Amino acid sequence: RSNDDSETFVKEDETLTQHDMVLLDELGGGTDPEAGSAISIAMLEYMLEHSQARIVATTHSPHLKALSVDDNRFNCATVLLEESTDTATVGGYHLPSFQLSYGVFGDSYALGAASRCR
């Protein structure tokens, strides 16, 4: 099934194995944060119980980030950021370093990134 926001590449009758990976970008976004987080947690728990695939989900949701603290089936990572040296920007801004740090979750700089868009 496909729509404007997402695509599904697995047929409904296919079983995911330990050799498969599921990528979920901004899971739970685009709706009420509480409802989106609750639905996302339920989806992730269901997927863990009913498949052997590795699941990678990106999020800005504090509820989803907390899963790694509350449930040892989950782990977290954050993209390390570095401050810009652009002297035209007061205080600099954060740029992705494209390095991951496992076992910690960081702050979201989504609003800062959006403020640089013109």
Side-chain angles (χ1 to χ4, degrees):
R1 191 174 68 130
S2 177
N3 62 34
D4 290 342
D5 297 323
S6 64
E7 285 193 39
T8 303
F9 295 103
V10 177
K11 294 179 184 174
E12 290 180 33
D13 60 347
E14 287 186 76
T15 301
L16 297 173
T17 71
Q18 71 271 15
H19 302 291
D20 296 313
M21 180 181 288
V22 177
L23 303 174
L24 303 166
D25 188 37
E26 292 301 332
L27 186 60
T31 189
D32 172 75
E34 294 292 323
S37 293
I39 292 168
S40 299
I41 290 169
M43 286 175 56
L44 290 169
E45 289 174 341
Y46 180 88
M47 291 173 74
L48 280 177
E49 293 168 10
H50 293 90
S51 85
Q52 298 177 11
R54 293 220 175 238
I55 302 165
V56 177
T58 65
T59 188
H60 289 276
S61 166
H63 294 95
L64 290 177
K65 291 177 185 181
L67 275 176
S68 65
V69 174
D70 300 335
D71 187 330
N72 65 4
R73 297 177 299 168
F74 295 92
N75 199 350
C76 65
T78 187
V79 174
L80 297 177
L81 301 173
E82 52 193 40
E83 206 166 297
S84 170
T85 58
D86 183 359
T87 56
T89 306
V90 177
Y93 51 83
H94 294 88
L95 298 170
S97 68
F98 301 102
Q99 297 175 337
L100 287 177
S101 179
Y102 291 91
V104 296
F105 47 87
D107 293 325
S108 171
Y109 291 96
L111 293 178
S115 71
R116 293 191 306 275
C117 296
R118 300 196 200 288

